[in-house]
């Protein structure tokens, strides 16, 4: 009886040894795959063109306006940061574009105006928001002129919001 158990255990041992080494090989392969994929991702990083990065800026500019105009200050605070980040992306991804010093211009022209809008949002001041937003919009166009892209004219959004997003503050606030 005892020897039967020993034989059974030995067989189990043998049987379980085999999948263990197969598993190790599979894990090693998976790891190699992951490393290859990681390397591929690093080499083929998607970098949006300046024009596309600007569309992101444009969308946040509009959303910030709609949130502020609805005096939805929490949402405006959210979008003021998104706009800032979108402009920082522009700076970092395209510090220079067709001989234009984009990063310097964004820092000098747009970011201080975004800061002013942020202050108005923080103070929940609708009048200050409206004035600061106008100046910010003007700075977009000043830079477009400086960059030889005067054809791109930004204005205060005139329609009410985007058709698929609610900008009105929720009732419980
Ligand atoms: C460096 C200064 C600079 C600032 C500041 C700036 N832009 Fe631009 N923007 C550019 C340049 C340069 C282009 C043209 C990019 C190209 O040649 O593809 C552009 C293009 C655009 C476009 C056209 C994108 C398209 O393909 O339709 C829009 C929209 C735009 N900007 C919106 C804005 C808004 C909104 C602001 C302000 C919040 C702003 N930009 C601030 C430099 C600037």
């Amino acid at each position: 009886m005892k020897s039967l158990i020993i034989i059974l255990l030995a067989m189990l041992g043998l049987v379980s040894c085999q999948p263990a080494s197969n598993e190790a090989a599979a894990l090693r392969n998976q790891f190699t795959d992951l490393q290859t994929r990681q390397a591929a991702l690093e080499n083929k990083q998607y970098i949006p063109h300046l024009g596309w990065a600007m569309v992101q800026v444009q969308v946040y500019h509009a959303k910030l306006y709609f949130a502020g105009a609805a005096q939805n200050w929490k949402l405006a605070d959210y979008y003021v940061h998104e706009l800032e980040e979108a402009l920082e992306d522009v700076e970092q991804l395209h510090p220079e574009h067709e001989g234009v010093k984009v990063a310097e211009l964004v820092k000098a022209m747009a970011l201080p105006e975004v800061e002013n809008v942020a202050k108005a949002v923080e103070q929940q001041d609708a009048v200050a928001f409206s004035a600061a937003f106008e100046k910010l919009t003007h700075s977009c166009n000043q830079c477009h002129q400086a960059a030889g892209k005067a054809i791109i004219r930004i204005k205060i959004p005139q329609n009410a919001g985007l058709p698929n997003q609610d900008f009105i503050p929720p009732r419980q606030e």
Side-chain angles (χ1 to χ4, degrees):
M1 187 63 192
K2 244 188 204 166
S3 56
L4 188 64
I5 292 173
I6 291 168
I7 291 168
L8 275 173
L9 282 176
M11 278 169 73
L12 272 175
L14 274 178
V15 175
S16 63
C17 250
Q18 203 50 37
S21 65
N22 280 349
E23 236 171 80
L27 272 175
R28 259 198 307 277
N29 285 345
Q30 239 176 326
F31 185 61
T32 317
D33 276 354
L34 274 175
Q35 277 181 317
T36 315
R37 224 183 304 168
Q38 182 67 26
L41 273 175
E42 277 166 8
N43 291 334
K44 292 192 200 159
Q45 234 177 12
Y46 170 66
I47 297 181
H49 294 285
L50 179 59
W52 187 236
M54 276 291 162
V55 171
Q56 198 182 347
V57 169
Q58 176 184 21
V59 171
Y60 286 134
H61 173 266
K63 289 189 177 206
L64 171 58
Y65 179 76
F66 296 135
Q71 303 199 19
N72 189 346
W73 301 117
K74 267 192 185 162
L75 190 64
D77 178 60
Y78 174 76
Y79 282 131
V80 93
H81 288 111
E82 294 301 303
L83 177 61
E84 209 166 15
E85 280 176 15
L87 283 165
E88 282 164 6
D89 278 356
V90 163
E91 247 183 74
Q92 278 159 26
L93 297 175
H94 300 281
E96 258 195 76
H97 176 80
E98 295 173 1
V100 175
K101 296 209 182 309
V102 172
E104 278 178 23
L105 289 170
V106 166
K107 269 203 196 92
M109 287 179 161
L111 288 177
E113 302 303 342
V114 176
E115 273 312 307
N116 279 338
V117 177
K119 262 184 228 146
V121 169
E122 205 183 303
Q123 290 162 4
Q124 311 201 346
D125 183 338
V127 176
F129 176 84
S130 174
F133 195 87
E134 198 153 318
K135 281 178 75 185
L136 165 68
T137 307
H138 184 59
S139 82
C140 305
N141 291 326
Q142 273 184 317
C143 195
H144 292 159
Q145 280 158 19
K149 302 280 172 183
I151 194 156
I152 299 157
R153 290 178 297 147
I154 304 301
K155 61 179 184 180
I156 307 282
Q158 299 196 343
N159 298 327
L162 293 177
N164 58 353
Q165 187 172 354
D166 195 348
F167 290 92
I168 307 297
R171 253 163 213 260
Q172 62 268 28
E173 277 190 341

